[in-house]
Amino acid sequence: MNIHEYQAKELLADFGVGIPAGHAALTVEEAVEAAKKLPGPLYVVKAQIHAGGRGKGKFKELGPDAKGGVRLAKSIDEVRADAQDMLGNTLVTVQTGDEGKQVNRLYVTDGVDIAEEYYLALLVDRASGQVAMVVSTEGGMDIEDVAHSTPEKITTITIDPAQGFMPHHGRAVAFALKLDGDLNKQAQKLAKQLYEAFMALDGEMLEINPLVETKDGKLLVLDTKMSFDGNALYRHPKVEELRDETEEDPAEVEASKHDLAYIKLDGNIGCMVNGAGLAMATMDIIKLNGAFPANFLDVGGGATTEKVTAAFKIILSDPAVEGILVNIFGGIMKCDIIADGIVAAAKEVNLSVPLVVRLEGTNVEKGKEILENSGLPIVSGDNLGDAAEKIVAQVKKAA
Ligand code: ADP
Ligand code: MG
């Protein structure tokens, strides 16, 4: 789960991390009030969307010469004008895709006199089973570009969670950032606070870009992105409350309500499968037959009629879907029960695209019979290869 920049900053502040003062705003008036609470005379108005690259982004509704989603304002009036410009409009950045994201929240924060910009991120490194702290002197730019053209400017320090953060980790971070004296000490302290926050909140990723050194010698977090391990959210009700569903794909939000694992993809064949491994194999075999899956969807072990119906509705809510392949192995759940569910669901959603079903497992013959006698144009697949061939052919025929 992702959260907004201002929310991540508020969480980090609880761990003692240095953050410029700022306030969130949902309306132009709130943005003005937020600015009035800050010392000035330099303010920064920042669009809050779940995507980076806002500074260089462009608003769809404003001309190509208009400023982006991170704006320096030199007076309260400028803050008001920037807020009016941004709220409700669509910001397109390198991370949003062409459709962009509507800006519904702003963050009004202190303008900082920047001397240097650095990069610091924490990640779960699955290969080593440790926390990786990725540090670079090249802040403020795309880290992917730095990794590509000057990989020597990136240092990775791994921390064993069983041992925890040790003073030498902090020294390594400060050394990688080439900091001396008091700034070196600040970097060591900051690295420790960030590690503590990351572990305490079950973070998945915490990226600070840029971390800045101010002209008066302070290290401050100027921009941050944070995401969390969804499986650990139950331990952090305070974090769970920060979820902004307007930032998520509506079909994925609906799927999570029914405990379905759904991810939208670019193709035109909707897939409904039980088990993640089988779902991956199903997507592969659709591709092998020259078509592309419209989604990954794992209905899980207990594929009840309600779940199957919800899954059909979610698949069909995607206008790109031109056919559906159901591939279910009846192990714990018997095939006849699943077939009943499929028939009931297909009737309820008024299925308008070809449907191929491949069932295997307990009571498979009974299941196939139910599909055949349903009066619905459901095609049975004898095995996975046959089912994939059939759905691809049906979709091609309809096109
Ligand atoms: P994004 O990464 O989405 O473009 P950032 O918050 O990193 O957004 O802002 C882009 C750039 O704007 C930063 O690299 C920094 O140079 C400048 N900036 C951001 N916040 C401030 C601030 N509070 N004071 C001064 N400059 C800022
Ligand atoms: Mg940034």
Side-chain angles (χ1 to χ4, degrees), residues 4 47-54 56-62 69 86 88-104 245-250:
H4 290 291
Q48 298 296 291
I49 53 171
H50 287 185
R54 297 162 299 166
K56 293 194 188 107
K58 290 283 168 206
F59 282 95
K60 265 194 180 166
E61 295 83 357
L62 312 177
M86 288 197 233
N89 281 339
T90 313
L91 183 58
V92 180
T93 80
V94 287
Q95 293 184 6
T96 59
D98 292 341
E99 70 275 23
K101 280 191 174 234
Q102 191 180 44
V103 177
N104 301 316
E245 289 188 349
T246 65
E247 288 285 333
E248 298 174 22
D249 184 288

Side-chain angles (χ1 to χ4, degrees), residues 178-208:
K178 301 190 165 68
L179 296 172
D180 299 317
D182 187 55
L183 280 164
N184 183 297
K185 288 207 185 90
Q186 286 184 53
Q188 293 188 43
K189 192 168 149 200
L190 174 72
K192 183 164 193 271
Q193 288 165 336
L194 292 173
Y195 178 82
E196 279 165 0
F198 188 76
M199 295 303 284
L201 298 170
D202 285 309
E204 201 167 60
M205 197 264 322
L206 167 59
E207 184 184 54
I208 296 168

Side-chain angles (χ1 to χ4, degrees), residues 191-344:
K192 183 164 193 271
Q193 288 165 336
L194 292 173
Y195 178 82
E196 279 165 0
F198 188 76
M199 295 303 284
L201 298 170
D202 285 309
E204 201 167 60
M205 197 264 322
L206 167 59
E207 184 184 54
I208 296 168
N209 191 19
L211 168 69
V212 299
E213 174 187 331
T214 63
K215 293 222 168 103
D216 57 358
K218 286 201 191 76
L219 274 190
L220 289 179
V221 168
L222 223 60
D223 181 19
T224 183
K225 255 172 128 177
M226 192 164 187
S227 66
F228 301 87
D229 181 346
N231 292 321
L233 275 178
Y234 74 96
R235 303 205 291 197
H236 309 287
K238 214 176 119 189
V239 173
E240 218 167 358
E241 267 173 33
L242 303 178
R243 184 163 187 183
D244 181 357
E245 289 188 349
T246 65
E247 288 285 333
E248 298 174 22
D249 184 288
E252 287 177 20
V253 172
E254 186 60 23
S256 74
K257 283 185 193 151
H258 297 277
D259 212 11
L260 299 163
Y262 171 87
I263 293 158
K264 167 143 177 52
L265 302 169
D266 293 333
N268 59 354
I269 297 188
C271 304
M272 184 179 351
V273 189
N274 65 339
L278 196 57
M280 300 297 276
T282 306
M283 297 188 329
D284 279 349
I285 206 151
I286 287 172
K287 281 193 158 187
L288 204 65
N289 281 277
F292 287 91
N295 63 274
F296 167 98
L297 196 159
D298 174 9
V299 291
T304 58
T305 306
E306 294 81 60
K307 261 191 161 183
V308 173
T309 309
F312 266 123
K313 284 185 181 160
I314 289 164
I315 292 175
L316 288 170
S317 72
D318 175 0
V321 168
E322 290 170 14
I324 300 178
L325 173 57
V326 174
N327 182 22
I328 298 218
F329 178 76
I332 299 169
M333 196 56 124
K334 295 186 186 79
C335 288
D336 50 330
I337 309 259
I338 293 163
D340 277 336
I342 293 170
V343 170

Side-chain angles (χ1 to χ4, degrees), residues 67-140:
K67 288 189 274 177
V70 176
R71 300 185 177 190
L72 295 182
K74 295 194 189 74
S75 66
I76 302 272
D77 283 338
E78 273 188 48
V79 170
R80 179 181 287 114
D82 284 330
Q84 271 162 352
D85 245 12
M86 288 197 233
L87 278 172
N89 281 339
T90 313
L91 183 58
V92 180
T93 80
V94 287
Q95 293 184 6
T96 59
D98 292 341
E99 70 275 23
K101 280 191 174 234
Q102 191 180 44
V103 177
N104 301 316
R105 302 182 195 205
L106 298 174
Y107 186 52
V108 184
T109 176
D110 256 345
V112 170
D113 242 345
I114 301 172
E116 289 290 343
E117 296 195 328
Y118 305 110
Y119 179 94
L120 200 165
L122 281 90
L123 308 157
V124 176
D125 179 6
R126 292 176 198 282
S128 65
Q130 303 196 337
V131 175
M133 217 177 244
V134 180
V135 190
S136 175
T137 50
E138 308 304 292

